[in-house]
Amino acid sequence: MSDRVQYTPIEGADDLFTPDFLQYLAAMHDKFTSRIHILREKRQEVLRQAHEEGQMPAHPPVSEINTGDWQVEAVPEELKRPGIEISGPASITPMFINALNPGADGNRAEGDLDDDEDSAAHRLIDTLQATRNRLGAVERTLTYTDVERGRKYCIAEGEIPFFMHRERGLHLDEPEVTVDGMPIPANILGTALTGRVPIFP
């Protein structure tokens, strides 16, 4: 905890929510939360106009964004490699380990998409577990024992897939983490936690 950031005391949270991380999270909140709220309000107005007035969304007005001579940086070479890309929740440990390991045919996925938007549970405990699992995978310390089935899961030798992340929707907050008493947007928290893990292990 800090003077500004409060969170539900979930087991293991303190290991991730270090003083430096909480300071970083507060800075992310200061920079982006108000902008996210403005975008939410604009979206609500567009939806209202569509539903109540039959006015469909239009293309954005002409501006530097759609007329300027700009380009994004080159795509990393790792993302150009052809191969299997797999997606799923990183919070379900045995499923995540299986996703990173070779399949029955011996082939391993090139990339793993940690899908917080569609396949993950939207709870703080799951968000933190996903972060711990990604860190454990990179450090080669991630294991899981299924006592009922008598089965142990661990990361197989060899290069593991690179990580990609799909964040929760712009409209969602994380009520179990607050900054100055205000729930933080879920995508700010997820992005900040994702930044703790190398993309290319």
Side-chain angles (χ1 to χ4, degrees):
M1 306 284 183
S2 72
D3 291 340
R4 299 188 61 195
V5 182
Q6 303 290 314
Y7 54 89
T8 301
I10 294 170
E11 182 180 356
D14 291 342
D15 295 336
L16 295 173
F17 289 157
T18 62
D20 285 346
F21 178 78
L22 295 182
Q23 184 177 359
Y24 172 62
L25 191 62
M28 292 273 284
H29 163 82
D30 293 341
K31 184 170 184 177
F32 295 111
T33 294
S34 62
R35 294 169 63 183
I36 288 174
H37 288 170
I38 290 171
L39 289 172
R40 289 177 181 176
E41 291 172 1
K42 289 182 177 179
R43 175 187 282 178
Q44 283 298 112
E45 178 58 19
V46 168
L47 290 173
R48 187 198 66 76
Q49 290 176 351
H51 287 291
E52 297 179 9
E53 302 173 11
Q55 180 179 336
M56 294 297 102
H59 291 291
V62 175
S63 69
E64 178 66 19
I65 292 296
N66 47 33
T67 62
D69 183 18
W70 60 272
Q71 58 184 352
V72 298
E73 293 185 9
V75 175
E77 289 301 316
E78 289 86 348
L79 295 180
K80 296 180 181 179
R81 294 187 301 196
I84 300 169
E85 293 180 1
I86 195 165
S87 68
S91 58
I92 303 176
T93 308
M95 183 184 295
F96 180 59
I97 292 174
N98 281 341
L100 300 183
N101 282 341
D105 60 359
N107 292 320
R108 202 171 208 155
E110 291 287 347
D112 178 80
L113 171 64
D114 174 19
D115 189 357
D116 267 359
E117 182 178 35
D118 288 337
S119 65
H122 294 174
R123 304 180 304 167
L124 180 61
I125 189 171
D126 298 296
T127 300
L128 298 183
Q129 185 63 50
T131 303
R132 284 195 295 270
N133 283 350
R134 290 194 301 270
L135 284 168
V138 170
E139 296 168 353
R140 303 293 177 136
T141 59
L142 181 62
T143 62
Y144 180 84
T145 300
D146 187 330
V147 177
E148 292 185 2
R149 297 182 179 181
R151 184 174 180 182
K152 184 173 182 178
Y153 299 77
C154 60
I155 302 294
E157 292 295 326
E159 182 182 359
I160 65 174
F162 63 81
F163 291 141
M164 299 173 286
H165 188 77
R166 181 158 68 171
E167 195 44 73
R168 283 183 278 180
L170 196 68
H171 59 293
L172 295 174
D173 285 326
E174 176 47 75
E176 295 189 82
V177 179
T178 62
V179 182
D180 301 332
M182 178 188 303
I184 194 164
N187 53 0
I188 289 181
L189 175 64
T191 299
L193 286 169
T194 299
R196 295 179 63 92
V197 184
I199 297 175
F200 304 113

